[in-house]
Amino acid sequence: MTATPTRTALPDREEFCSAMAQLATGVAVVTTGSPDGPVGCTANAVLSLSTEPPSVLVSLASNGRTVQRASAHGGFAVNILGWHQRDLMHRFARLPAAERFQGVAYRDEAGCPALEDTAATVVCRLDQAPVALDHTLLIGRVLWTAQDPAARALVLYQRRQHAVAL
């Protein structure tokens, strides 16, 4: 027997976040270059937008440094984290921007920091950046990808971290 779902006509922020926590999602760090050095933040609103041409969409807060620098730079990298990188999820979400890259291994790819040892990295040229409410949708044309097929994926579900492996 399954429980009857709780229904809310117009949920408050907490109720909305609780409902959305039922959607399992991967975790990525979106990075870009800037004259002041690398910039990045944790994101879970990432999707494959198209295969022809290969394109991705990332939704980031419009007032964040990463989206502003990616727009100015004209490109970004989506670094899809593996289970072994869950510390990076917190680092890029919680630390002050100036401390996020301290001690983090990365290489420059098309002017974007590509984090080392990720489950996958997708480097993009910015194609469009439309604003949707309080977020900006970075739409990027894929320049190249790299992946580790053996990596265990880092997934958020019900506000907890989980590892997914085949």
Side-chain angles (χ1 to χ4, degrees), residues 12-129:
D12 64 18
R13 184 179 192 284
E14 180 56 32
E15 291 166 328
F16 174 70
C17 290
S18 181
M20 293 309 297
Q22 299 303 316
L23 177 63
T25 181
V27 182
V29 171
V30 178
T31 57
T32 191
S34 83
D36 304 325
V39 178
C41 66
T42 298
N44 65 359
V46 177
L47 62 95
S48 168
L49 183 61
S50 173
T51 58
E52 280 302 322
S55 305
V56 297
L57 181 148
V58 179
S59 177
L60 297 175
S62 293
N63 63 355
R65 288 182 64 198
T66 303
V67 74
Q68 294 168 1
R69 293 304 193 316
S71 294
H73 177 66
F76 59 95
V78 178
N79 300 276
I80 301 168
L81 302 182
W83 174 250
H84 64 287
Q85 295 177 302
R86 52 197 181 279
D87 61 315
L88 292 180
M89 177 182 84
H90 297 295
R91 167 180 284 275
F92 282 87
R94 296 181 180 153
L95 287 182
E99 298 174 23
R100 292 179 182 170
F101 279 90
Q102 291 177 1
V104 174
Y106 65 91
R107 64 194 176 286
D108 183 276
E109 296 290 349
C112 297
L115 303 182
E116 296 287 345
D117 202 28
T118 58
T121 300
V122 180
V123 176
C124 301
R125 174 182 52 83
L126 184 63
D127 190 48
Q128 298 177 45

